[in-house]
Amino acid sequence: LQGCYTFINDLGAELTITFTRRNDSWNTTFQVPPAQSNRQCFDPGRYTYTFDAPPPWDSTNGELTVEAGVDLPYTIGAE
């Protein structure tokens, strides 16, 4: 059973997201157009992510633990 996140882009520019699983370096990259969302499901585990948008925004890196059965929104916006 996977865990799912709906990535919601509130930036106003296309967002490129890369997810990498820590234990085996499996990764995927996908886009989220401005003011739209993209639902992605992942195997449970620990992941690193990069959110990348064109200037004036920089890329943002972080970590996320995916738990089986979750289905959550994840909003990315100007902070």
Side-chain angles (χ1 to χ4, degrees):
L1 184 64
Q2 294 185 313
C4 301
Y5 289 87
T6 299
F7 296 92
I8 302 163
N9 182 351
D10 280 350
L11 272 185
E14 183 168 81
L15 188 62
T16 299
I17 300 174
T18 301
F19 254 69
T20 304
R21 192 167 45 223
R22 293 186 60 122
N23 66 341
D24 63 3
S25 296
W26 171 89
N27 69 75
T28 187
T29 300
F30 54 94
Q31 280 73 37
V32 186
Q36 294 187 36
S37 62
N38 185 331
R39 184 173 181 265
Q40 297 284 320
C41 298
F42 306 99
D43 290 336
R46 294 180 63 204
Y47 291 79
T48 60
Y49 62 77
T50 301
F51 299 152
D52 191 25
W57 297 281
D58 290 327
S59 62
T60 300
N61 300 302
E63 293 188 14
L64 184 67
T65 299
V66 175
E67 296 180 21
V70 300
D71 198 344
L72 299 170
Y74 196 114
T75 302
I76 300 106
E79 297 181 22

